């Protein structure tokens, strides 16, 4: 097991290099000049071409593509992620400031979707064909099809504006003394993010569970005289678990990547929000770092999923 | 009333309901299982053999119903009418596994792949012996496995089903079924998925169990060879009806139903050489939703008469336990 994990981690290195290259090429192909975003339009009009050229030279934009790529790569290897083009802040600091917010939000959403999705999925499968099942199926479809921004706006309207139970947005306020006060801010965004994920997990758990319920060993379990919860949970769901773990595992990247839509609606100061601002501002060093961070998490998630699958199912062997 | 009778199925009918259609899976089926005896239920696929077995443990699928008849279980002081028991209740759960155990056709899929064999046997022991401890159950599992002829049982008990061969898995299934000393063992084609040598070993094992535990075995099969080897009594089923029933000698030596007779004539006999005449049964099994109006076997029967087209014959006793559902059984017997 350990040697497998080490081998997988080693194969990640060339993969990450290729991904870094692709990200860099993608950024290079963007047709805009970062200078025009750094400096206001009026200033640009007043600047001589020599002055602009000087700025490009100072930022290293004039050197060959491949040189810049390896400089960037070398920087990352040294832990120097570069500087934001808009305000000169180190990218490391920006990410360090935004990441906890995103992790907080995504963790709650992941928790909500896993608990409710799995529970409702099992319920739906065990009571298949019943009113409960049909109702959950419809709700699941609604949850999947209605976009997050719509849910978000409706929730803000109802719970923040009309009922005034919850704050409209943001993550925290300076006067807060306990986490509990801050917690009220995360309820709505986490619920919205959770709902769309719950629907997916629920449908997935349901079909996986139905599949398990039709297997022969379920009949064996019944013929053994076991109580229902043992049959459904220990025999049925235990076997249905693997695909569900895979699905949830591949949601892990949102932990660091954040959700662009939800973070925007609720002015959540997370990575998703930072990403949008960076793209708008053509702040390509930051865009690249966030992209790289998400991709790294994706690779890590696939390793985590593989290891978990092997732990859950004795038939799976890590090779 | 015969003291040895442990299970009596009487006039049992089960129907399946699909898309507003009703399939009479079994109709007025009767048979008895006796302590220390093997009852073989034979018949082709879809004739209702497995449905009868599932009905005994109330393991029928959701869209099915026991229409009429009785399943009487005599394993306790008072006889229990299993057909009236709540299929989700505590009583049937005590009986399942504890008193009537079942083994299934395909040992590859009947064991749960994610638990060790030992866990699955212990689980059953712990369920039916409330004061047993986990390590005792594990110890008993090892004993059971080695009693079923699994070498190095103390190690294999911690292995998963996929590490067992087909024959080993069926042995493990039988070990599990026998773990709580059941009074009846229902075996639903236990060797169909296994090769012939392993089949023989499994049957030998079952035959020993019958003697050692004084259990009644209800063996469902479509293999006439198995019947000759193991059975004390035989019930022949066709399209949901028991068409002939009796001791193995009566049924195999003097078949009274044309179907039994045709079935026996269609089996090659080892040692008779290549010149023996094997006669297939002509035609094919009718569609269960479009049954013949009268005797179910009538369209394929050599003895069919006008009367056969009108109604399914009632049970008629020929001698002792030997009974048959055929209007023309006297002619069939005469042709022997």
């Amino acid at each position: 097991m350990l040697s497998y994990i080490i081998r997988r981690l080693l194969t990640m290195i060339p993969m990450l290099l290729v991904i870094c290259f692709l990200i860099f090429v993608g950024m290079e192909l963007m047709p805009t000049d970062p200078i025009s975003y750094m400096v206001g339009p009026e200033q640009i009009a007043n600047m001589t071409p020599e002055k602009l050229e000087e700025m490009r030279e100072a930022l290293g934009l004039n050197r060959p593509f491949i040189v810049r790529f390896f400089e960037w790569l070398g920087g990352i290897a040294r832990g120097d992620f570069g500087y934001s083009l808009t305000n000169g802040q180190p990218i490391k600091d920006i990410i360090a400031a935004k990441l906890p917010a995103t992790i907080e939000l995504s963790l709650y959403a992941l928790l909500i979707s896993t608990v409710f999705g799995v529970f409702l999925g099992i319920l739906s499968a065990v009571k298949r064909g019943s009113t409960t099942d049909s109702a959950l199926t419809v709700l699941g479809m609604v949850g999947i099809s209605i976009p997050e921004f719509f849910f978000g706006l409706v929730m803000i309207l109802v719970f923040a504006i009309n009922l005034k139970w919850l704050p409209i947005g943001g993550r925290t306020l300076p006067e807060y003394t306990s986490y509990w006060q801050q917690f009220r801010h995360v309820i709505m965004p986490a619920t919205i993010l959770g709902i769309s994920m719950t629907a997916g997990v629920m449908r997935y758990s349901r079909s996986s569970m139905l599949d398990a319920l039709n297997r022969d060993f379920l009949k064996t379990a019944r013929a053994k005289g076991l109580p229902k919860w043992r049959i459904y949970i220990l025999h049925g769901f235990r076997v249905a678990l693997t695909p569900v773990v895979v699905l949830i595992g591949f949601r892990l990247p949102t932990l660091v990547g954040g959700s662009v839509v939800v973070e925007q609606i609720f002015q959540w100061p997370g990575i998703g929000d930072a990403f949008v601002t960076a793209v708008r501002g053509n702040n390509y060093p930051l865009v690249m770092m966030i992209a790289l961070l998400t991709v790294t998490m994706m690779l890590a998630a696939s390793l985590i999923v593989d290891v978990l699958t092997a732990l859950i199912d004795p038939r799976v062997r890590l090779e | 009333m015969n003291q040895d009778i442990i299970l009596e199925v009487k006039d049992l009918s089960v129907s399946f309901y699909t898309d507003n259609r009703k399939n009479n899976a079994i109709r007025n089926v009767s048979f008895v299982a006796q302590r220390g005896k093997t009852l073989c239920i034979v018949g082709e696929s879809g004739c209702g053999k497995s449905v009868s077995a599932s009905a005994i443990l109330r393991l029928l699928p959701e869209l099915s119903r026991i229409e009429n008849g009785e399943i009487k279980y005599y394993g306790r002081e008072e006889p229990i009418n299993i057909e009236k028991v709540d299929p989700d209740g505590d009583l049937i759960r005590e009986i399942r596994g504890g008193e009537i155990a079942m083994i299934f056709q395909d040992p590859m899929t009947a064991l749960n792949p994610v638990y060790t064999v030992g866990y699955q046997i212990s689980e059953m022991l712990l369920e039916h012996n409330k004061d047993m401890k986990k390590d005792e159950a594990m110890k008993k599992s090892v004993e059971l496995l080695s009693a079923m002829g699994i070498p190095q049982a103390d190690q294999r008990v911690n292995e998963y089903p996929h590490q067992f061969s087909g024959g080993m898995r069926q042995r493990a299934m039988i070990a599990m079924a026998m773990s709580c000393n059941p009074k009846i063992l229902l075996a639903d084609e236990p060797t169909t998925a296994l090769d012939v040598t392993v089949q023989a070993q499994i049957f030998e094992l079952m035959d020993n169990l019958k003697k050692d535990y004084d259990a009644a075995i209800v063996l469902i099969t479509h293999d006439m060879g198995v019947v000759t080897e193991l059975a004390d009594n035989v019930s022949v089923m066709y399209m949901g009806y028991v068409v002939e029933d009796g001791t193995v000698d009566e049924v195999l030596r003097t078949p009274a139903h044309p179907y039994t007779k045709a079935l026996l004539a269609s089996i090659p006999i080892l040692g008779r050489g290549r010149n023996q005449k094997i006669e297939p049964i002509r035609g094919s099994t009718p569609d269960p939703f479009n049954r013949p109006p009268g005797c179910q076997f009538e369209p394929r029967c050599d003895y069919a008469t006008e009367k056969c087209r009108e109604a399914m014959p009632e049970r008629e006793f020929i001698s002792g336990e030997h009974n048959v559902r055929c209007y023309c059984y006297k002619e069939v017997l005469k042709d022997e």
Side-chain angles (χ1 to χ4, degrees), chain B residues 266-287:
Chain B
S266 68
I267 304 164
I269 294 167
L270 201 65
R272 280 210 189 150
R274 68 174 71 164
N275 293 327
Q276 61 181 307
K277 208 171 146 207
I278 298 163
E279 284 182 41
I281 305 175
R282 66 184 161 89
S284 54
T285 324
D287 174 9

Side-chain angles (χ1 to χ4, degrees), chain B residues 28-41:
Chain B
N28 296 331
V29 161
S30 304
F31 53 79
V32 292
Q34 301 174 34
R35 287 189 177 87
K37 293 261 171 83
T38 302
L39 166 71
C40 277
I41 302 179

Side-chain angles (χ1 to χ4, degrees), chain A residues 69-147:
Chain A
F69 172 65
F70 280 107
E71 285 239 313
W72 180 61
L73 212 56
I76 295 171
R78 287 193 306 272
D80 172 13
F81 293 171
Y83 297 88
S84 162
L85 285 184
T86 31
N87 57 11
Q89 236 186 323
I91 287 173
K92 211 198 273 179
D93 294 355
I94 300 178
I95 289 178
K98 303 279 185 184
L99 198 55
T102 289
I103 290 180
E104 183 193 2
L105 172 60
S106 308
L107 212 56
Y108 281 123
L110 213 58
L111 207 68
I112 292 173
S113 64
T114 307
V115 171
F116 283 96
V118 166
F119 175 74
L120 294 176
I122 296 178
L123 189 73
S124 198
V126 168
K127 297 194 174 290
R128 68 184 168 285
S130 68
T131 329
T132 320
D133 182 25
S134 318
L136 285 172
T137 304
V138 171
L139 280 179
M141 289 301 163
V142 169
I144 290 175
S145 355
I146 295 186

Side-chain angles (χ1 to χ4, degrees), chain B residues 109-155:
Chain B
T109 56
L111 288 165
N112 192 323
V114 303
Y115 294 109
T116 61
V117 171
Y119 177 89
Q120 296 187 54
I121 300 175
S122 312
E123 186 183 31
M124 173 120 154
L125 282 163
L126 294 168
E127 185 60 40
H128 294 284
N129 303 286
K130 291 292 174 207
D131 43 339
M132 192 179 244
K133 293 200 180 62
K134 272 189 182 157
D135 51 328
E136 289 170 5
M138 220 46 176
K139 235 175 94 193
K140 184 89 197 284
S141 307
V142 176
E143 284 167 24
L144 281 160
L145 283 176
S146 70
M148 299 306 146
I150 290 184
Q152 289 157 334
D154 52 333
Q155 287 159 37

Side-chain angles (χ1 to χ4, degrees), chain B residues 93-118:
Chain B
R93 274 186 34 222
E94 281 171 29
I95 294 174
R96 282 179 195 155
E99 292 166 53
I100 306 179
M102 189 157 179
I103 51 180
F104 297 94
Q105 181 168 350
D106 192 353
M108 307 288 165
T109 56
L111 288 165
N112 192 323
V114 303
Y115 294 109
T116 61
V117 171

Side-chain angles (χ1 to χ4, degrees), chain B residues 190-333:
Chain B
T191 60
T192 308
L194 306 175
D195 69 57
V196 189
T197 7
V198 183
Q199 272 191 22
Q201 294 167 2
I202 296 289
F203 284 134
E204 200 185 308
L205 182 64
M206 286 176 60
D207 217 33
N208 290 337
L209 292 176
K210 181 174 73 174
K211 290 172 196 134
D212 299 346
Y213 290 79
D214 198 30
I217 295 182
V218 178
L219 178 64
I220 291 166
T221 179
H222 56 246
D223 186 342
M224 277 301 196
V226 172
V227 178
T228 10
E229 288 280 323
L230 287 177
D232 297 297
N233 296 295
V234 186
S235 289
V236 182
M237 287 190 76
Y238 185 78
M239 292 297 288
Y241 289 90
V242 173
V243 291
E244 186 166 0
D245 181 60
T247 65
V248 67
D249 274 349
E250 289 165 341
V251 176
L252 295 188
R253 285 186 204 284
T254 56
H257 197 280
Y259 177 63
T260 320
K261 205 179 160 190
L263 212 53
L264 291 169
S266 68
I267 304 164
I269 294 167
L270 201 65
R272 280 210 189 150
R274 68 174 71 164
N275 293 327
Q276 61 181 307
K277 208 171 146 207
I278 298 163
E279 284 182 41
I281 305 175
R282 66 184 161 89
S284 54
T285 324
D287 174 9
F289 292 108
N290 185 19
R291 289 162 178 274
C295 172
Q296 300 295 299
F297 192 59
E298 175 268 321
R300 306 172 75 184
C301 181
D302 294 332
Y303 296 86
T305 60
E306 267 310 303
K307 201 178 171 195
C308 300
R309 254 169 239 139
E310 280 154 23
M312 188 73 195
E314 290 301 312
R315 277 215 294 180
E316 274 190 67
F317 282 82
I318 302 167
S319 61
E321 290 170 39
H322 194 185
N323 62 77
V324 66
R325 275 175 184 271
C326 180
Y327 295 120
C328 322
Y329 74 88
K330 284 184 182 131
E331 283 163 58
V332 181
L333 285 171

